[in-house]
Amino acid sequence: SRHNMPIPDLAPPNSIIAWGWDDLNPLEPSNPGTGLHLLSDSDGCIVQYTSFPGYSAPTGGTITAQVVLQKDGSILLQYIDIGDSFDPLAGTVGIESPDGTSGLLLAHDTPFLKDSLAVLINNPFLWLSVSPSIGTVPPGAADTVSLTVYPAGLDTGSYFLDLYLTP
């Protein structure tokens, strides 16, 4: 889509990694040399956008960035070069769920992008699970809720949890 929106948004596109969602045009004649490069192996995938210009961008209105999808589920956004004529105030940066109901908005039409900026979006570490995670218990009845702690990978220290049960 040429028109970026804040994340999350129910309208398509959904299920996106918005590294610089804006009206980019790799075929812009005033900025030749645009490239899209892909490197994939068992550790992840790197997609590099080289000298991507905006629509009707003047010469130098380009951005070079990488999206690195890592084996552990984390996403690294690397902004290598923001051209002098590229508009850093336009665009959306973030991630959004497949149905558009949730997402992580890092920036929307605000000064955020700059040369040599790197942003790591971590996959949350699962240290606790609840089973069942939802349910109903009739009045006067009982049920068991199991909490399982996975300490491997946790730093030494105290961890706290608020558990809410609603009538």
Side-chain angles (χ1 to χ4, degrees):
S1 170
R2 283 191 55 201
H3 304 288
N4 63 303
M5 302 296 294
I7 292 172
D9 185 0
L10 295 176
N14 301 117
S15 193
I16 60 172
I17 299 171
W19 64 271
W21 179 17
D22 196 13
D23 52 350
L24 301 177
N25 180 7
L27 302 177
E28 182 61 47
S30 63
N31 288 288
T34 297
L36 180 63
H37 312 278
L38 175 69
L39 174 65
S40 181
D41 62 23
S42 61
D43 291 325
C45 177
I46 301 170
V47 181
Q48 179 164 316
Y49 303 84
T50 303
S51 300
F52 260 61
Y55 274 91
S56 303
T59 301
T62 63
I63 183 171
T64 296
Q66 292 180 336
V67 176
V68 182
L69 306 175
Q70 299 176 348
K71 184 177 182 176
D72 66 0
S74 60
I75 302 167
L76 178 63
L77 306 175
Q78 298 185 116
Y79 300 91
I80 298 160
D81 181 60
I82 310 294
D84 292 337
S85 299
F86 186 82
D87 183 3
L89 300 178
T92 300
V93 178
I95 58 175
E96 186 178 82
S97 67
D99 62 3
T101 59
S102 64
L104 173 65
L105 177 64
L106 299 169
H108 172 71
D109 293 345
T110 187
F112 179 75
L113 300 179
K114 61 182 179 179
D115 288 348
S116 302
L117 172 68
V119 177
L120 179 63
I121 302 171
N122 283 320
N123 188 17
F125 179 73
L126 177 64
W127 66 274
L128 178 73
S129 69
V130 179
S131 179
S133 61
I134 190 169
T136 303
V137 180
D143 200 354
T144 301
V145 176
S146 298
L147 301 176
T148 305
V149 177
Y150 305 98
L154 290 176
D155 291 332
T156 302
S158 299
Y159 292 81
F160 301 92
L161 166 74
D162 291 325
L163 179 62
Y164 296 96
L165 302 174
T166 57

